[in-house]
Amino acid sequence: MEQIGKILIDEEKIMKRVAEMGTEITRDYQGKELVVICILRGGVIFMSDLVKQIKLPLYMDFMAVSSYGMSTKSSGIVRILKDLNEDIEGKDVLIVEDIVDTGLTLHYLVDYIKSRNPRSVKVCCFLDKPSRRKVDVEVDYVGFEIPDKFVVGYGLDYAQKYRNLPYVSVLEEEDL
Ligand code: 5GP
């Protein structure tokens, strides 16, 4: 049985950092046609807080890709479960992800989105585990760098649980 361990990033810290990121993105996207693409389901809590801090007109779209299923290890196989609703050709795309771990998911997604001919593509991640990287991916905005621990909360799940926690916690389980 798994259980929630200590809080790694509390709610106050998250809100402060998300506001800073929103300010930075607002500055960088002046006069551009911003499309924020949320990667479901993990990115949804971060995305909804972040867009409120971006003081620009923007579009929102959503993609869903297969993740680890019920396990906590990456398979490296990425499958699109839900594609974009809108055409992004000529637009300035910002991909919003919950966490970059091995980088495999993001590597695939960036290539896929580039094949739709946007004007620009940048990546915004709530969490980054740089020590686990297997492929090189450029992440333009990072909320927090974290150590190599499996975390839950603020959108991140374990077997679809814990996404609604307003903070980030380490998951403790014997078989992880
Ligand atoms: P990557 O392809 O970079 O290895 O994995 C990206 C995806 O794996 C993330 O979008 C997330 O769904 C999942 N993931 C990676 N690390 C963690 C973690 O510590 N906790 C949770 N809940 N999911 C993770």
Side-chain angles (χ1 to χ4, degrees), residues 43-55:
V44 76
I45 308 275
F46 176 45
M47 143 84 129
S48 29
D49 283 340
L50 183 68
V51 290
K52 287 182 274 180
Q53 302 296 332
I54 302 176
K55 312 295 181 193

Side-chain angles (χ1 to χ4, degrees), residues 89-103:
E89 187 164 346
K91 304 265 174 36
D92 296 291
V93 169
L94 183 64
I95 302 173
V96 174
E97 251 286 39
D98 52 358
I99 186 165
V100 202
D101 187 27
T102 63

Side-chain angles (χ1 to χ4, degrees), residues 36 40 47-48 50-51 75 84 86-87 92 105 113 118-119 125-126 130 139 141 164-165:
V36 180
L40 298 170
M47 143 84 129
S48 29
L50 183 68
V51 290
S75 62
L84 296 170
E86 307 291 333
D87 187 9
D92 296 291
T105 310
I113 284 171
R119 186 162 60 186
C125 277
F126 175 55
V139 185
Y141 307 93
N164 60 322
L165 297 178

Side-chain angles (χ1 to χ4, degrees), residues 74-88:
S74 180
S75 62
I77 298 163
V78 179
R79 210 155 43 95
I80 294 178
L81 305 176
K82 188 219 162 287
D83 207 340
L84 296 170
N85 283 7
E86 307 291 333
D87 187 9
I88 54 166

